[in-house]
Amino acid sequence: MEITIREEQGISILSLSGRLDLASGATLKDEIKGLLDKERKLLHLNLAQVEFINSSGLGVLVSIMKEVRLCKGRLTLSDLASYVQEIFEITQLSHIFEIFASEKEVMDSYQSETVS
Amino acid sequence: MTHVIDQISELLIQLQSPDFYERESAVRELGEYGRDEAVAGLVIAMEDPDLGIRELAADLLTKIGGEVTSQLLISFLAHDDIATRNLAAEILVRIGADSVPSLIAGLDNDDHDVRKFIVDVLGLIKDDQAVPAICERLKDDNINIVCSAAEALGEIGSPDAVEHLIETIRQTADARLQAVEALGKIGDPTTLPELEAMLETNDPMILYAAIEAIGHIGQKESVERLSGLLDHADNTIAEAALMATINISIANNGRIGCDLPLDKFTDFLFEGIRNKNDRITRFTLDRLSHWYGSNVIESLLDVLEHVDENDLDRITRVLGEFGGSVSHLIVKKIAQATTPVKLTLLEIIKEFIDDDIAGELLPMAGDADPDVRRKLAHILGMSGSPKVVPALKELATDKNGHVRSAAYGALGWLCSVEEIDFLFEGLNDKYSDVREAAMGALIFVGGPEVVRRFNDDLYNDDVERQRLAATALGMIGDADVVPPLLSAINHPEPSIRKSAINALAKIREVENTSPLILALSDENSSVRKAAATALVTINGEEAVSEIRLLLHDDDIWVRYHAINLIGDAGSKEHADEIMSCLDSDQDIVKIAAARALSKLGYRDAIPAIDSLRGDKNQDIVEAAEQAISVLQEVK
């Protein structure tokens, strides 16, 4: 899995590409930990290019979410491909994660929170 | 002309008829004339014993308006009957600016009651042209008229009255209150010195009015002067000073540049929110982020039921910012809250749920409302605390299916391997949502034991269990599931064979693809198509040599699918075989072949595709033209 990271309006945006499983999940976890260590607590995962995610990948995402919560950060997801969306719905993870249709909606959401 | 006068005279007589319908008809007809004589008749009808006729006459008089109508109505302001008098005043107000000259002329009336009514009516009409005449009434011999004049000037709000009102404040003690209130309504900042001087008075009524007036004027320079009254011994005065400060704060977008002793006013402010006072609500919520204290949090929790959705969002955010420190207060509040508030509070607490809070929430598993139990299940699951498992298992046997579904989902998040037996039980639930939630939980738990049990389920007598097993194995998606899925390609049920193949296509990491190659000859066309897709997904271009046999499949849609796959895979090696499909007797196959050949960039196909341009099917012609256009660009 490839992970590219960029900063936009104070939010660390991680674009993931490929398959999210145990091995690639460990890499993702390390990246997130690195960002949290640098006090980057507003994190967004763009999953548009994630074509496959298995149960280990889901476990990794939940563990990342717990980590972000502990640091009083915020984790958002967007652009879930239909298969990923299906697995999120079946496992009801859509109740745990803040999921947006697009990155623009995510940015708007952060923006409105700042304004209010 | 005489004829019209005669007709009006008859209608005036008809107005005296004992018959309701005759009188009503007369009023309607008089309304159509709009002449002075008819107006007189309509004014008479204002005294009719029937309310409906009186209102009809009032409507018609309003419509006609004009000087004569106004003058006649003014004469009714001295009427003995209070209802008639009020009706006349009401019509004059409705006529509005047109009646003002007549009303001004009537201010010299000898009857002080009439003068007072006229002033009141002018105040309600709110027309600036009446201001000088009303100012004159501030010197009326009758104090009631002076008071009414001050009130009317406040209603009109013209700065031209300011000087006269200040004079009244200084000279006429009995009208001081009304004059102060009027200055507040006019809102002219030049009056502030006069009003601030009133803050020294011992008269609580005047003091209250002056504070209120200063608040209405809304200058932030007044805040310091008002702050001295916030600790006034009389609570009413202190609260008036705070309310005035709130008004000034709102007029200045919250920038008043001083701290306020809000703790003293917690009850007043939150009572204001409960009573839906928009200004107090806005001010209080604006201050929340820098106003701490457990009494504030408790008060906030108490007003949740009284605010609109936007304010609720703001409070939710503020409570969220306070974090875990307020969680125990929230838990305490939840116990006595209404269902909507419980749901809101659970949503807030979700943000900082931990082991301890989860433990405190456990009694809510017995809540009467299924929405609350459902939300609770989600939140308990998010806590990650093993001690909530028994409560979640209890909720997974709830009488409500949504609650059971949420509980199974939450059990999955806890990844509790010990609960595999329990989770598999959920696959037998009567509701599909619950079965899928149990399946989702098992996908989450994963691992060799779950895979083994789902593998067994592939051959369960219950077809639904077979379906869930095939889906779940695909979603678990690790190396352990590949062997059972490969075996499932030989499953007696075609839908299971297809699900297993689709799952393998998603997993991709499949070393032994022989069962998939065999599936290209499956008796079921959907299975053959799925196998072709899976092979291309797993082996890429190499798979084309296997799937090319489907170019001659009996099923037209399998042929169509195979052509598309080969075109997408980009393998020119078998382009000749696709070219043969251009001669198919099926139009859809011809179209797919032309498109595939253009994707492959196979220029040798141009003559054969060109021959399709003469086809009678326009879709074929278009596909051929597009393909040729693409191929001509290929070097």
Side-chain angles (χ1 to χ4, degrees):
Chain A
M1 186 177 69
E2 272 183 42
I3 305 170
T4 55
I5 305 175
R6 68 180 206 278
E7 293 289 321
E8 212 170 294
Q9 294 169 37
I11 301 151
S12 301
I13 300 173
L14 290 86
S15 298
L16 315 185
S17 166
R19 304 162 65 78
L20 183 55
D21 53 21
L22 190 60
S24 57
T27 314
L28 176 63
K29 249 175 123 169
D30 288 345
E31 293 285 2
I32 298 275
K33 192 171 177 322
L35 289 168
L36 291 173
D37 286 347
K38 284 187 239 167
E39 293 292 306
R40 302 224 177 268
K41 293 179 182 174
L42 303 181
L43 305 169
H44 174 63
L45 303 184
N46 184 322
L47 303 182
Q49 303 300 320
V50 173
E51 58 206 30
F52 182 73
I53 181 166
N54 68 7
S55 60
S56 307
L58 293 174
V60 167
L61 285 179
V62 170
S63 114
I64 288 172
M65 166 59 97
K66 284 180 184 165
E67 197 72 24
V68 174
R69 276 226 173 107
L70 270 176
C71 298
K72 300 197 184 308
R74 183 177 173 195
L75 176 69
T76 50
L77 311 181
S78 78
D79 300 85
L80 275 60
S82 62
Y83 177 74
V84 177
Q85 197 157 344
E86 188 188 347
I87 198 165
F88 263 70
E89 270 159 27
I90 284 179
T91 53
Q92 300 191 24
L93 285 179
S94 36
H95 290 283
I96 295 187
F97 288 96
E98 266 192 275
I99 301 171
F100 295 85
S102 66
E103 227 175 76
K104 186 189 173 303
E105 282 185 22
V106 177
M107 301 312 278
D108 288 348
S109 148
Y110 277 102
Q111 196 70 33
S112 67
E113 195 160 87
T114 312
V115 169
S116 59
Chain B
M1 176 72 83
T2 316
H3 179 61
V4 172
I5 292 171
D6 288 346
Q7 283 179 332
I8 291 176
S9 302
E10 274 178 37
L11 289 170
L12 291 175
I13 294 166
Q14 201 177 315
L15 280 178
Q16 310 305 319
S17 164
D19 183 89
F20 167 85
Y21 295 103
E22 279 196 18
R23 298 202 309 280
E24 189 198 34
S25 154
V27 170
R28 284 191 193 286
E29 283 186 49
L30 283 166
E32 282 167 21
Y33 282 103
R35 298 172 62 91
D36 295 348
E37 296 82 353
V39 170
L42 289 172
V43 171
I44 291 167
M46 282 170 51
E47 295 176 275
D48 194 279
D50 186 87
L51 175 65
I53 290 179
R54 292 201 299 274
E55 284 178 351
L56 176 63
D59 286 344
L60 293 168
L61 283 166
T62 306
K63 213 178 284 174
I64 294 166
E67 200 182 332
V68 173
T69 306
S70 302
Q71 283 169 355
L72 286 168
L73 287 168
I74 289 167
S75 68
F76 269 68
L77 293 178
H79 202 283
D80 291 338
D81 177 45
I82 189 165
T84 307
R85 206 163 59 211
N86 287 343
L87 184 59
E90 191 187 317
I91 300 166
L92 284 163
V93 173
R94 280 200 247 156
I95 292 171
D98 283 354
S99 68
V100 170
S102 303
L103 285 162
I104 291 172
L107 280 172
D108 293 330
N109 197 300
D110 291 338
D111 184 336
H112 59 81
D113 283 336
V114 172
R115 293 203 302 282
K116 184 184 179 307
F117 284 132
I118 291 174
V119 169
D120 291 341
V121 168
L122 286 169
L124 291 169
I125 293 173
K126 299 181 183 175
D127 188 324
D128 274 4
Q129 63 177 314
V131 170
I134 303 174
C135 286
E136 280 301 305
R137 288 303 109 203
L138 290 172
K139 295 175 199 133
D140 200 289
D141 293 339
N142 185 297
I143 189 64
N144 288 334
I145 294 170
V146 178
C147 291
S148 286
E151 283 169 355
L153 291 167
E155 292 302 323
I156 296 171
S158 165
D160 293 346
V162 163
E163 194 188 316
H164 303 274
L165 286 164
I166 290 177
E167 190 62 21
T168 305
I169 289 172
R170 291 175 183 165
Q171 305 293 333
T172 318
D174 289 341
R176 193 168 286 150
L177 179 67
Q178 290 76 9
V180 169
E181 285 172 347
L183 287 182
K185 286 181 183 169
I186 292 170
D188 185 340
T190 63
T191 62
L192 278 172
E194 192 71 27
L195 289 168
E196 285 177 5
M198 296 280 109
L199 298 179
E200 303 299 328
T201 180
N202 291 324
D203 181 335
M205 298 280 281
I206 303 285
L207 177 57
Y208 187 96
I211 293 169
E212 212 173 32
I214 291 169
H216 282 145
I217 292 170
Q219 295 292 301
K220 66 178 173 186
E221 292 72 21
S222 307
V223 171
E224 199 181 335
R225 190 75 182 79
L226 288 169
S227 65
L229 293 164
L230 291 173
D231 56 4
H232 197 280
D234 181 344
N235 247 353
T236 311
I237 297 298
E239 286 169 3
L242 179 66
M243 195 61 226
T245 308
I246 289 172
N247 284 330
I248 294 170
S249 169
I250 287 171
N252 291 276
N253 293 320
R255 289 187 288 271
I256 51 172
C258 77
D259 286 331
L260 298 168
L262 294 184
D263 281 345
K264 183 188 167 188
F265 297 98
T266 306
D267 291 345
F268 170 77
L269 292 170
F270 284 97
E271 189 59 30
I273 296 177
R274 261 191 292 277
N275 292 332
K276 305 202 182 300
N277 181 314
D278 287 345
R279 292 183 155 246
I280 292 180
T281 303
R282 189 173 148 195
F283 172 84
T284 309
L285 298 189
D286 280 348
R287 297 257 144 188
L288 283 179
S289 53
H290 37 90
W291 181 21
Y292 300 95
S294 65
N295 63 331
V296 175
I297 304 300
E298 283 177 42
S299 303
L300 263 183
L301 293 170
D302 282 339
V303 296
L304 290 174
E305 286 151 80
H306 305 276
V307 296
D308 66 21
E309 212 171 298
N310 283 340
D311 290 336
L312 186 60
D313 276 352
R314 295 184 64 184
I315 295 176
T316 304
R317 266 201 297 273
V318 169
L319 289 171
E321 280 164 22
F322 284 128
S325 60
V326 300
S327 59
H328 298 290
L329 292 172
I330 294 179
V331 171
K332 208 169 98 187
K333 170 71 185 172
I334 285 181
Q336 312 99 32
T338 60
T339 294
V341 172
K342 275 181 188 165
L343 293 171
T344 302
L345 292 174
L346 285 173
E347 190 64 33
I348 296 168
I349 226 166
K350 175 176 112 173
E351 298 303 320
F352 33 82
I353 185 79
D354 61 15
D355 221 44
D356 287 347
I357 303 169
E360 287 183 57
L361 289 175
L362 290 178
M364 287 183 75
D367 194 278
D369 194 290
D371 285 341
V372 172
R373 299 199 298 278
R374 180 175 172 223
K375 186 135 207 136
L376 176 72
H378 283 146
I379 290 169
L380 292 179
M382 288 171 75
S383 74
S385 167
K387 71 180 174 196
V388 304
V389 170
L392 283 175
K393 285 173 76 176
E394 188 66 34
L395 290 167
T397 60
D398 195 279
K399 59 182 184 242
N400 182 292
H402 296 301
V403 178
R404 295 202 297 280
S405 169
Y408 274 113
L411 280 167
W413 306 337
L414 294 169
C415 293
S416 182
V417 183
E418 294 77 29
E419 305 306 332
I420 289 176
D421 286 340
F422 185 83
L423 294 175
F424 267 95
E425 273 302 302
L427 300 178
N428 296 324
D429 196 278
K430 61 182 173 178
Y431 290 130
S432 65
D433 282 359
V434 182
R435 295 196 295 271
E436 297 224 338
M439 175 185 76
L442 286 161
I443 289 169
F444 225 106
V445 175
E449 179 58 15
V450 172
V451 171
R452 188 190 66 73
R453 300 273 294 262
F454 271 132
N455 186 27
D456 290 347
D457 266 6
L458 283 172
Y459 305 95
N460 194 299
D461 291 339
D462 180 357
V463 179
E464 171 67 357
R465 289 286 290 257
Q466 293 175 12
R467 182 189 75 81
L468 292 170
T471 308
L473 286 170
M475 288 185 167
I476 290 171
D478 58 26
D480 290 345
V481 303
V482 174
L485 287 173
L486 284 171
S487 300
I489 295 176
N490 294 317
H491 196 280
E493 178 59 42
S495 65
I496 302 300
R497 299 201 294 277
K498 187 181 159 193
S499 290
I501 292 169
N502 285 341
L504 288 164
K506 286 265 182 283
I507 295 167
R508 282 198 195 175
E509 284 157 8
V510 181
E511 284 176 16
N512 173 19
T513 51
S514 306
L516 287 168
I517 295 167
L518 285 173
L520 294 172
S521 310
D522 195 284
E523 62 186 18
N524 183 288
S525 61
S526 295
V527 175
R528 296 200 296 280
K529 281 198 289 181
T533 305
L535 281 165
V536 173
T537 310
I538 293 164
N539 290 337
E541 202 179 321
E542 283 177 27
V544 173
S545 59
E546 306 294 348
I547 66 168
R548 70 188 173 83
L549 67 95
L550 296 183
L551 294 174
H552 308 289
D553 197 279
D554 291 340
D555 187 296
I556 174 185
W557 292 108
V558 175
R559 295 206 297 280
Y560 175 81
H561 189 63
I563 294 167
N564 285 335
L565 282 172
I566 293 171
D568 290 341
S571 170
K572 277 189 191 168
E573 199 184 329
H574 302 286
D576 285 341
E577 284 181 74
I578 294 180
M579 268 183 63
S580 68
C581 297
L582 293 171
D583 300 326
S584 169
D585 53 359
Q586 297 290 337
D587 289 356
I588 192 75
V589 173
K590 285 182 189 170
I591 291 170
R595 285 180 184 156
L597 287 163
S598 76
K599 277 188 196 165
L600 292 173
Y602 193 62
R603 285 179 59 90
D604 292 353
I606 291 178
I609 295 173
D610 193 50
S611 68
L612 296 179
R613 282 170 142 172
D615 200 285
K616 59 185 177 193
N617 183 333
Q618 196 53 36
D619 291 339
I620 292 179
V621 175
E622 276 176 27
E625 282 175 353
Q626 278 172 9
I628 287 169
S629 149
V630 171
L631 288 171
Q632 279 170 344
E633 297 293 316
V634 176
K635 289 177 183 166

